[in-house]
Each structure stands twice: as structure tokens, then as C-alpha cells.
Amino acid sequence: MKAIVATDQGAEAAGIKLAERPEPTPAINDVVVEVHASGFVPAEWEWPSTWVDRSGHDRAQAIIGHEFAGVVTSLGYGTTGLSLGQRVFGITDWHRDGTLAEYAAVEARNLAPLPGAVDFTVGASLPISGLTAWQGLFQHGRLQAGQSVLAHGAAGAVGSVVTQLAREFGAYVIGTGREPDRQAALDFGANEFLALDHEDLEDIGGDLVFDVIGGDIQRRSASIIRPGGTLVSVVGPAETRPVDGLAVDFVVESVPSQLVEIVDRVRDGRLRTHIGTVATLDDAVPALNPTERRKGKTVIRVRP
């Protein structure tokens, strides 16, 4: 089968190639999925699991990509809850071969049904962005109606979902980003927008800051957390903690019940995804190695 594999950690995106790999077989409690579309997160180059397995051994020629939508074609021994021919979407284990391939072996417990009304391309854009937003807001940020949320990168793949979910649950959302992102963030539902390239972050406050940027922006964000508030980070532990609040960093987990909540919102129009570049598997290498800044989620269509 065709697959996109990582060959050179130092080269990052420049070190990937389209290759032929054996089709996977399902282990106990696995399914094999015929992949129709796969999302991609650029930060994958920074994840240790991209390059080594759980024992620390080199993962040479590892298939990249970890979120996808497709159709179940094979069931492993003991697999329950899914059936052959079923449309599914979700996240694969970080240390296993991924989803930028014609087929992927996945633990059945990591998958949720994909409704027929939701396109495979849209389904593939949801798992990591949607679950990151859901878990950051509700599990780790413990968002409550009436609170204010500062959503960094509000026009991005994660930030746009953070903005929409926070608004749905009764929060006041201040989106941030670059000035050209202002209208997109407002269109996704931000009550107001702060341009980080020329407006002062310290002039505002928030009960919850959702950080997808890190660095200096994260350090400055700690100072604007209101008493009892929370700084939620998906880019590593906070270097500076709020004086009278919490700092939480987390790695997204696959929770099928949350995937169902998210895709139901997409199906009925409450939630919009932000898909940017869409390319075929044959054209995936240049699409994953852009020469300019890309907006939104990159999705690779593996099948028409």
C-alpha cells in the first residue's frame, strides 16, 4: 500500500516520502480501516513518539499522521462494538504506524462512528482539534457559563473549535492571533479579537487562557489570569504560573464519547471545522512541507 513515511528527524517535513508499505493486519481488539482522509498536525515532528517506540527503539520509516476517517475492513480477535463496512473516525496510538496511508490498524476503543451526513474530509479534520478543544475547556479548564476565555490562535484549527465550544457553553471569548486573522476569528464566534502583533496582551484579563502558542505569549498570559482562573497549555508545561490560579498542560486522549459530542455538533451545524489545505496522498509530501504559512487544518484525501 502507499504511505507517507518519516525518514529523517533532523529534516522534519523535508525528510518524508511516499513509499510502499505492507498492509497492516489487526491485532487483538484492533480493526483495520480503509483510510479515506487523514488530518495532520505539524507539531508531530516534535513528538518523541514519531521517532522512537515505547522501548526507546528507533522507528525508522514510521508512517505519520494520527487522525483520520474511513471504513472498517477487518476485525481483530476479540474486537467488539464495530462492524465491517462501518464508517469511523478517530485517533491512532501515537507510537504505532499512523494514518497517512491507504490502510491503518487501530485499537477499536479509539474510534467513534462517523455519521453518513459528515464527509470523510471533515471527519478527518475533527479528532485532534476537536478533542483538544473539548478536553482543554471542560476537563482541564472546567469552564463555566459566564466566564471569560482567552483563545490564542482563535482562527486556527484548534482555536476555532475552542472559540465555538466556549461560546456555546456561555463564555465570553476573546480571540487572539495576527491582524490578518481578525475577521476569521470573529466569524468563528469570538466576541472580540486581540492582534498579538500590535495590541497589548496585558490590557485584558481572563478566567481561562487556552494556549496553543507557548513561549513569550504563554509567559505573558500567566499574568492576566484572574484569581482562581486557569492557564491551559497544549504546548508543554507553563514556564510562568498564574499568581492565584492553576496552570495545566495536557496531551489529548482519544475519547469516543467526546468524538460523538463533537461530530453531532458538526452534523447539526453548531460547529464548523477550519480546513485549510486539502491534497491527495500522491501530492501529500509538498502539502506537508509548505513554503509559506498555512491556515487551518491540512487534510490528505487518501481516496476520492
Side-chain angles (χ1 to χ4, degrees), residues 103-173:
Y103 295 90
V106 190
E107 288 181 89
R109 64 188 179 93
N110 286 334
L111 301 176
L114 181 70
V118 179
D119 180 80
F120 286 115
T121 300
V122 173
S125 74
L126 289 173
I128 292 179
S129 298
L131 289 173
T132 297
W134 188 279
Q135 292 168 16
L137 287 173
F138 306 128
Q139 285 183 225
H140 304 291
R142 292 171 291 180
L143 179 68
Q144 297 183 25
Q147 291 186 321
S148 62
V149 173
L150 185 69
H152 285 315
V158 174
S160 60
V161 181
V162 170
T163 298
Q164 293 172 84
L165 290 177
R167 280 295 305 273
E168 179 188 345
F169 282 81
Y172 184 90
V173 180

Side-chain angles (χ1 to χ4, degrees), residues 4 15 31 33-34 43 60 64 73-74 82 95 114 121 126 136 142 165 211 224 230 247 253 266 273 292 304:
I4 303 297
V31 297
V33 176
E34 179 185 72
I64 58 174
T73 60
S74 182
L82 296 174
H95 290 86
L114 181 70
T121 300
L126 289 173
R142 292 171 291 180
L165 290 177
D211 178 43
I224 65 172
T230 306
E253 297 179 313
V266 172
T273 60
E292 58 186 23

Side-chain angles (χ1 to χ4, degrees), residues 32-67:
V32 170
V33 176
E34 179 185 72
V35 179
H36 283 243
S38 173
F40 185 75
V41 179
E44 188 170 331
W45 310 123
E46 303 167 12
W47 301 344
S49 57
T50 299
W51 308 105
V52 296
D53 63 20
R54 285 190 170 86
S55 300
H57 299 132
D58 181 51
R59 295 186 65 214
Q61 303 288 308
I63 299 173
I64 58 174
H66 288 283
E67 58 185 334

Side-chain angles (χ1 to χ4, degrees), residues 282-295:
D282 287 337
D283 295 326
V285 171
L288 300 175
N289 196 6
T291 57
E292 58 186 23
R293 180 177 178 244
R294 296 277 179 84
K295 296 182 179 180

Side-chain angles (χ1 to χ4, degrees), residues 66-88:
H66 288 283
E67 58 185 334
F68 73 111
V71 175
V72 176
T73 60
S74 182
L75 305 175
Y77 180 79
T79 298
T80 59
L82 296 174
S83 58
L84 294 176
Q86 185 173 3
R87 290 163 51 97
V88 293

